[in-house]
Amino acid sequence: MRERVIIDFETTGLSAMMGDRATEVAAVVIDETGIIDRFQSLMNGGRQIPLFVQQLTGISNLMIRQAPKAETVMRQLFDFIAGRPLVAHNASFDHGFLSAELDRIGESCPTGLLCSMKVARRVYPEAPNHRLATLIAHTRIEATGQYHRALADAEMTALLWLRMEQKLQHDFALPEVPLDLMRRIQTAPCKTLDKFVDSFKRRTWPGLNPLTHP
DNA sequence: TGCCAGGCCCTCTTTAGGGCCTT
């Protein structure tokens, strides 16, 4: 069973380094069959949410005051992740908050988060842009909820990730799509995806036809 | 509403600058 955990944070702002805190987190587990488990919670980090962000997310200061303490939620999240590989859309953003919030409970942050935005820039170079909502529409995935809420964004990122794996497997006739391939794709030159995947395919499965589908 | 940050990516580049993406 090859499980990956897709995470998404809602926060008070853009920078954990500048004192912003997480206000909501969600994580969904996927395997080859789709989404198989979910975790979601508001969390109280004790920092006021700017009006603009309240309007963006629908998460109010009152909701946060009534939410469990951030430390409690992060302990639950850490146990939920259970060491499985992590994926996020624009992973550097979520990694910053995951690292900062885990540090507060004395846990080290997992390294090597995979980024669905980086992969999407290579798999869907023709997309109008690579925001999550645009990619969901571009790939004709049905939206599962309200954007800018953690669970909906995590679910839609999960479905996008699965769709990209399926496209790669189909277009390049791969026996499977190893996580290592996704990890390498996100750092490959943007304009050379075909050559890059073919090269990976030749090295990983030497007996297979290297030719790709159109 | 759009700043605050930071890493990535492109190009009229590389001794740089600006747009994208996340809240």
Side-chain angles (χ1 to χ4, degrees):
Chain A
M1 196 68 72
R2 194 168 61 92
E3 296 178 352
R4 294 84 86 199
V5 179
I6 288 74
I7 63 168
D8 186 77
F9 281 99
E10 304 305 318
T11 70
T12 62
L14 294 177
S15 175
M17 296 287 288
M18 297 290 287
D20 286 315
R21 296 294 305 272
T23 57
E24 186 181 44
V25 65
V28 302
V29 182
I30 59 172
D31 67 8
E32 67 277 6
T33 67
I35 296 174
I36 60 171
D37 201 3
R38 293 169 172 82
F39 172 88
Q40 177 273 331
S41 181
L42 292 166
M43 51 198 285
N44 184 355
R47 185 174 172 98
Q48 289 287 110
I49 309 172
L51 179 58
F52 164 68
V53 181
Q54 292 184 57
Q55 292 171 337
L56 178 72
T57 64
I59 299 172
S60 67
N61 284 310
L62 176 60
M63 292 164 67
I64 292 308
R65 280 197 294 274
Q66 297 172 339
K69 288 184 179 299
E71 290 78 6
T72 302
V73 175
M74 290 306 296
R75 174 59 59 190
Q76 294 170 343
L77 176 69
F78 187 77
D79 293 342
F80 183 86
I81 293 171
R84 290 174 288 199
L86 292 173
V87 178
H89 198 70
N90 195 11
S92 64
F93 173 85
D94 291 281
H95 183 263
F97 283 93
L98 179 65
S99 178
E101 298 291 351
L102 284 177
D103 190 56
R104 294 174 185 273
I105 63 169
E107 297 290 354
S108 58
C109 184
T111 59
L113 263 71
L114 290 149
C115 181
S116 55
M117 185 184 73
K118 286 184 186 177
V119 175
R121 280 181 167 151
R122 290 154 176 82
V123 173
Y124 300 115
E126 77 286 359
N129 59 60
H130 296 88
R131 298 173 194 163
L132 179 60
T134 303
L135 289 165
I136 292 300
H138 181 73
T139 54
R140 299 183 179 180
I141 293 171
E142 187 175 352
T144 64
Q146 176 192 345
Y147 285 108
H148 298 299
R149 286 303 297 264
L151 182 59
D153 283 3
E155 286 180 337
M156 288 187 277
T157 301
L159 296 176
L160 174 65
W161 188 261
L162 288 166
R163 180 66 60 88
M164 292 193 293
E165 288 183 341
Q166 291 162 1
K167 177 172 170 55
L168 287 165
Q169 185 166 14
H170 173 267
D171 288 356
F172 294 93
L174 304 176
E176 60 177 334
V177 181
L179 209 59
D180 187 46
L181 174 59
M182 300 298 268
R183 194 178 305 282
R184 288 168 186 266
I185 283 176
Q186 67 178 8
T187 58
C190 279
K191 295 177 179 176
T192 60
L193 180 68
D194 287 3
K195 289 182 179 177
F196 185 85
V197 177
D198 269 338
S199 173
F200 181 92
K201 184 179 178 181
R202 281 194 298 272
R203 291 197 311 273
T204 307
W205 302 283
L208 292 182
N209 184 346
L211 295 177
T212 62
H213 291 286

